[in-house]
Amino acid sequence: MSAGSIPSGNQIKDPGYPTASENYLTNSKGPWTWLFTLDHKRIGVMYLIGVMTAFFAAGLLALLIRLHLFRPEGAVFTGPEANNWYNQVFTLHGAIMVFLFIIPSIPAALGNFLVPVMLGAKDVAFPRLNLSSFYLWVFGALFFVGALMASGLDTGWTFYTPYSTSTDSSVILATSGAFILGFSSIFTGLNFIVTINTMRPPGMTWFRMPLFLWATYATSIIQVLATPVLGITLLLLIAERVMHIGIFDPEFNGDPVTFQHFFWFYSHPAVYIMILPAFGVISDLISVHSHKRIFGYRFIAYSSIAIALLGFLVWGHHMFTAGMGPMTTIIFSALTFTVSVPSAIKVFNWLATMYKGSISLTTPMCFALAFIFLFTIGGLTGLHLGTLATDMHLHDTYFVVAHFHYVMVGGTLVSFLGALFHWWPKMFGKMYSEFGGRLAAVIIFLGFNLTFLPQFVLGSRGMPRRYATYDPEFQTLHQVSTAGTLLLLVGLLVALYVLVRSLIKGERAPANPWGGATLEWHCTSPPPFYNFDRPPAVGDPYDFSDIFWDTENERYVTVEPDREIAPTETPEPAHAESTN
Amino acid sequence: MSTIEAAAENAHDDHGHDHDHPSFLAHHFDTPEQQFDSGKLGIWLFLVTEILFFSGMFCAYAIFRMLRPDVFEGCSQFLNTKLGAINTGVLLFSSLTMAWSVRCSQVQQNRGLVGMLAATICCAMIFLGVKAIEYSHKWEMGLLPAGLYFYDPANPHPESHTNYLFYICLPFMILLGGVVAWLIASLVTRNTFHLKCAMPLSVAAACFFVGIGLGMVLESGDSEHGSEVAATAELETEISLIANSDDIALERLAGDAANSGAKSELNARMQQLETAGSSIVQDGEEISGAIVSVEENVMTQRKAGVFFSIYYCMTGVHAIHILVGIGFLVWLLIRAVREDFNPQYFGPVDYVGLYWHLVDLIWIYLFPLLYLIR
Amino acid sequence: MSAHGESKDGYDFAHPIPVPMLLSVFFALVFLTIVTVAQASFDIGSLDILVVMVIATIKAALVMAFFMHMAYDKPFNVIIFLSSFGFVALFLIFTMSDSAQTSPAFEPVVEEVMETDQESTNVIAEESSATSE
Ligand code: HEM
Ligand SMILES: [Cu+2]
């Protein structure tokens, strides 16, 4: 790509702006046209609203946790029930964040919007299934709200037996919710696999797919393979509570370690459900905003699949201290190291992509850079935890808390925000304030590190997780962490403000505001209802050589050498004569 | 499972651009073949999730059978092999009719399709009827999941206050009543379409009671009580064998590969003694004492409970799948009566068929694993 | 693709299975069921589970290949379906092998120990008497 003037003697290809009847946001009106829509883009937007609401709710709970931990004896919840309150709050925080926000965030909300458009398809393969996934998500969320209304939930998001079979809180409601959410996730994954397999237009070969699609594909594989096991685990847990089947409950000769095996067989792969789409997003963001072909396309693509498969081999690293056999422990520890290799491959490739690129420090790029930094810390500390000897010390301390927040917040959330800022103009047709966006990115980055970096120190000094009170020696670090949370909150609010303001006051977005080469930038912003009238011409998704900055109109355009089309007659529709 | 519905979605012709889209082809697909391939891949993926879903229970089964082979062996005697075998046959036959109905839809034999689908539903109903007999009988005996278990070998048939069979049958009676009412209504109004749907469905609903009858006949035969008696007799001989316990009897027991229960118990006992610090005791008295108690106690809540938990979870979830399958088959039947299917569009029949075969496939494994432990 | 879907020969992507084949598969399945039931009355020791599983797997293979049309399906679908068994195996092998290693601790023998083996439960007895005092 080159910035500046458009070479003369060339034709500018730009889809322009959609009319109100083309625009998927406005082509039909009324709440029912949204609630019963089969359009993947509208479903994506509904998901977006849903997951952001969940994020807001769980975020408030997180704020409560951190405020409570401001003082060693606990600052927010007082009285005899203080610890119970604390347990409920951190449990619901974790459960809502994991099941209602992070898992559906990128794949369901952004994926739904992007997958068909990036692929050049009209819709996902099963639009009704898609809508029903969304409603399953809503039902699952309602169950969680029900659990909250009933008697809360205090098992931690992991629902470990035997506590979960003996506590009085509403385990059944919450697990039913998670069960339903699991099916929502399965159907989304299934839909994407089929879409990517069978709905590719001519010319869209596997290796012309944007890396986001590869990542989504890998994620979907995990969703389809791992989530059912969560389903049966939760079902058995419910049965255990209702009629004491004695599989997990030691009181009836069950084995709680078996529960942990079942749970982590899903939940370790699930962490890759959370991070793989983020990898895909970052691959696209880095390449587009560095205006340079992605380095090692095939490596990144294959490493997504490798992660998806290897991710099934390491679940035991969550159970090193749970009473597994020594042999299993060692095997799982060794396997854990292998899974970090493909992740590292990706990081190196992103760095190599940026090298000698012409980087525009736009908001999405700021988030992408933050991601690389934060994910690297999160991933590397994962190796500390995967090492048997160190994990004996670090297990169930704040070190683990910091590790997974670095990958889930620093990784997934940050890339979710990056993706949101990157595709926002495409989704809603509005440009936001660049300054505001960058400011949000910087504040979030600082606030996040301030919150969670001290927790590594806390953990390695022995501060256990999931406690409502702590020794005074930890106070300073806890207070720093709480201060960081407030800063993080400010950053998120700035981001929200910037986005909402853009909807009201933002400028109209051009079709290609960043200079991307993937197919979604070839249709208008926002895309028309049908995405593409006819199957689009598919090129290399990371070839920026024919994309130029149009200084006059402040937009990127695709440029084609002038061509004369020889016959001027309109071609017959291809299969008109074979109609029966 | 709304995969099927999604694939079956009809075209929205109001969008104008699909001039040559047949009515069964959804607007976002180009060709019937693309639509079929998508649906097919979708259903295969769905079956993958089903297999992993069941894998959790198979895993639980494997673990506990590995840990307590004796418990599994003992408890399995309480499952009626005859009923299990009959049900296997019924399901296999339903698989045949299902596969046949796929064929019918592919070659557009509409009457055959309706007939085959109806036969499949009938088999499913018979299966459930037989299952109802099995369940209700066990509940009356107190052979229940660990938490609810109350079986007492001394009094295997306690005076029952609840008629479980009646409660299981109740929804099916209502169903039968409803379908028959529908049949009569469509006879009165002479609505052929409704008649064509209601007739096979009434037969199918009645088939549940055929299953009940079949189950009762087989159950009242010698089988279970016989095997119960046989089991206790076996136990007694074993106990008496051990009672005059000398080294020979012990060796016989442990050396007999079949008696893995006794063997592992022996091993466990030895290990325990070893860890307890005493040397391996050659004194038969103590060891045999342990075995006697174990053999006697296989049918306790703490032990047998887990077997029955797993039994109910596996067969219960399987039965739920049958119920769901029946729902889809009814939907297909109605569409078949409407003559929706043709060689270009038989996807839904094929997909439901695959699902149905998977349910059969799981039963193929459940039957020997639960009923045939020796 | 588009040319294909419209062709008139009727069965371009349908592969109807001939009725005799369906019937013979069914009878084979019934026969194998009888074999499994019959073998259960012979005492073949711990081979038992193996025999039973092999027969069940043959039956499953028959159902998959013919009733489920797998023999005629796209290789990709077949691979997907069969690979699910690989993941099940992974799950089972890891979980079971771990249970096998740790099982002595979870063997539900506590009851009998308490009831019959006084000597080795001295410790427990002592403890319980200590608490009762
Ligand atoms: C890069 C490779 C990674 C390695 C080697 C790794 C390793 C580990 C280990 C060993 C633990 C267990 C610590 C303990 O409980 O003692 C752990 C916990 C955790 N990890 Fe990772 N991890 C990696 C990446 C990720 C990613 C990408 C995510 C999510 C996006 C993630 C999310 C989590 C979560 C949520 C927990 C804690 C679960 C809980 O106990 O509540 N990890 N990780
Ligand atoms: Cu993990």
Side-chain angles (χ1 to χ4, degrees), chain B residues 54-314:
Chain B
F54 274 94
S55 76
M57 287 181 295
F58 278 100
C59 190
Y61 173 92
I63 290 175
F64 284 98
R65 181 159 179 189
M66 176 183 73
L67 293 182
R68 305 293 302 189
D70 50 335
V71 171
F72 273 63
E73 197 175 317
C75 294
S76 168
Q77 314 300 323
F78 285 81
L79 303 185
N80 189 328
T81 311
K82 248 188 206 170
L83 291 185
I86 284 294
N87 255 353
T88 311
V90 169
L91 266 198
L92 288 178
F93 186 72
S94 81
S95 254
L96 170 71
T97 53
M98 188 70 233
W100 204 326
S101 51
V102 174
R103 185 197 144 80
C104 287
S105 70
Q106 286 169 330
V107 298
Q108 211 161 1
Q109 296 170 339
N110 249 305
R111 287 177 58 89
L113 176 58
V114 175
M116 284 302 163
L117 287 173
T120 314
I121 304 176
C122 288
C123 287
M125 282 298 198
I126 294 178
F127 179 90
L128 288 179
V130 175
K131 207 85 220 127
I133 291 288
E134 287 193 71
Y135 274 0
S136 60
H137 189 72
K138 281 187 197 54
W139 294 349
E140 271 155 23
M141 289 171 69
L143 294 167
L144 287 164
L148 310 170
Y149 189 93
F150 64 83
Y151 177 70
D152 176 8
N155 178 21
H157 295 283
E159 276 309 300
S160 181
H161 7 274
T162 20
N163 187 346
Y164 294 107
L165 188 56
F166 174 73
Y167 287 111
I168 303 180
C169 288
L170 196 59
F172 290 92
M173 287 183 199
I174 297 171
L175 184 81
L176 181 61
V179 186
V180 170
W182 181 21
L183 179 67
I184 293 169
S186 51
L187 271 174
V188 171
T189 57
R190 294 173 181 282
N191 185 329
T192 34
F193 175 72
H194 282 248
L195 195 64
K196 275 186 184 168
C197 295
M199 226 151 39
L201 289 181
S202 335
V203 176
C207 272
F208 178 79
F209 298 96
V210 174
I212 295 273
L214 189 65
M216 280 187 172
V217 169
L218 289 174
E219 177 91 7
S220 61
D222 52 354
S223 58
E224 187 174 351
H225 301 275
S227 74
E228 249 170 65
V229 174
T232 27
E234 249 172 60
L235 276 187
E236 267 161 14
T237 48
E238 224 152 77
I239 292 165
S240 62
L241 250 180
I242 302 156
N244 31 325
S245 66
D246 45 353
D247 286 343
I248 306 162
L250 242 181
E251 253 166 53
R252 263 193 66 183
L253 257 183
D256 182 4
N259 202 338
S260 46
K263 214 166 97 179
S264 79
E265 195 48 44
L266 196 68
N267 285 342
R269 175 64 39 176
M270 295 239 187
Q271 251 177 21
Q272 228 175 39
L273 289 174
E274 233 172 333
T275 45
S278 48
S279 60
I280 297 175
V281 193
Q282 291 298 325
D283 174 22
E285 200 54 54
E286 207 176 346
I287 296 166
S288 65
I291 294 173
V292 170
S293 83
V294 167
E295 290 294 346
E296 274 170 350
N297 287 340
V298 160
M299 296 310 293
T300 62
Q301 180 183 23
R302 289 180 73 80
K303 291 178 182 163
V306 172
F307 176 84
F308 286 101
S309 302
I310 291 175
Y311 166 75
Y312 283 114
C313 288
M314 289 182 126

Side-chain angles (χ1 to χ4, degrees), chain A residues 197 253 261 315 323 325 327-328, chain C residues 76 87 90 94 98 101-102 108:
Chain A
N197 261 307
N253 276 332
H261 276 298
W315 78 82
M327 195 58 204
T328 341
Chain C
F76 188 72
F87 286 91
L90 198 73
F94 269 120
D98 183 49
Q101 284 172 47
T102 51

Side-chain angles (χ1 to χ4, degrees), chain B residues 33 44 67 103 302 365 374, chain C residues 4 17 40 57 73 103 111:
Chain B
E33 190 179 8
W44 277 119
L67 293 182
R103 185 197 144 80
R302 289 180 73 80
Y365 281 97
R374 245 339 93 105
Chain C
H4 193 57
I17 306 223
T57 306
D73 211 328
S103 63
E111 234 178 19

Side-chain angles (χ1 to χ4, degrees), chain A residues 264 267-269 271-272 311 314-318 336 339 403:
Chain A
W264 289 113
S267 287
H268 181 81
V271 307
Y272 291 106
V314 300
W315 78 82
H317 65 216
H318 295 273
T336 297
V339 80
H403 154 70

Side-chain angles (χ1 to χ4, degrees), chain A residues 176-391:
Chain A
S176 315
F179 182 87
I180 296 171
L181 290 171
F183 276 89
S184 162
S185 167
I186 289 175
F187 289 144
T188 306
L190 190 152
N191 223 332
F192 286 164
I193 294 185
V194 177
T195 307
I196 292 176
N197 261 307
T198 63
M199 307 281 287
R200 280 174 289 127
M204 180 56 91
T205 57
W206 283 95
F207 291 103
R208 276 193 188 162
M209 290 200 319
L211 287 165
F212 180 72
L213 292 185
W214 274 98
T216 309
Y217 196 76
T219 312
S220 304
I221 294 177
I222 309 179
Q223 281 174 311
V224 165
L225 283 172
T227 320
V229 178
L230 176 75
I232 191 64
T233 309
L234 296 179
L235 208 62
L236 290 177
L237 179 60
I238 293 174
E240 190 76 78
R241 263 186 88 89
V242 174
M243 52 189 189
H244 300 288
I245 53 175
I247 293 177
F248 301 137
D249 185 354
E251 208 183 316
F252 291 86
N253 276 332
D255 179 1
V257 179
T258 304
F259 177 83
Q260 297 190 16
H261 276 298
F262 277 48
F263 183 81
W264 289 113
F265 182 83
Y266 162 73
S267 287
H268 181 81
V271 307
Y272 291 106
I273 297 179
M274 306 173 197
I275 201 72
L276 271 173
F279 287 161
V281 164
I282 298 302
S283 305
D284 274 4
L285 257 55
I286 295 275
S287 170
V288 170
H289 295 275
S290 306
H291 304 283
K292 184 168 161 247
R293 162 184 293 281
I294 188 86
F295 185 86
Y297 173 91
R298 285 193 185 220
F299 275 99
I300 299 183
Y302 284 136
S303 65
S304 290
I305 305 291
I307 289 177
L309 301 181
L310 285 176
F312 280 92
L313 298 172
V314 300
W315 78 82
H317 65 216
H318 295 273
M319 306 165 53
F320 285 156
T321 61
M324 279 198 307
M327 195 58 204
T328 341
T329 328
I330 292 169
I331 293 175
F332 275 128
S333 176
L335 287 172
T336 297
F337 296 128
T338 62
V339 80
S340 56
V341 173
S343 316
I345 289 180
K346 284 179 192 276
V347 173
F348 291 129
N349 279 313
W350 294 325
L351 296 179
T353 305
M354 286 193 288
Y355 177 69
K356 287 199 173 166
S358 49
I359 296 173
S360 337
L361 268 185
T362 51
T363 310
M365 190 62 179
C366 293
F367 278 109
L369 294 174
F371 172 92
I372 296 184
F373 187 84
L374 300 177
F375 175 74
T376 307
I377 296 181
L380 287 178
T381 50
L383 290 177
H384 293 70
L385 295 171
T387 313
L388 264 180
T390 41
D391 189 60

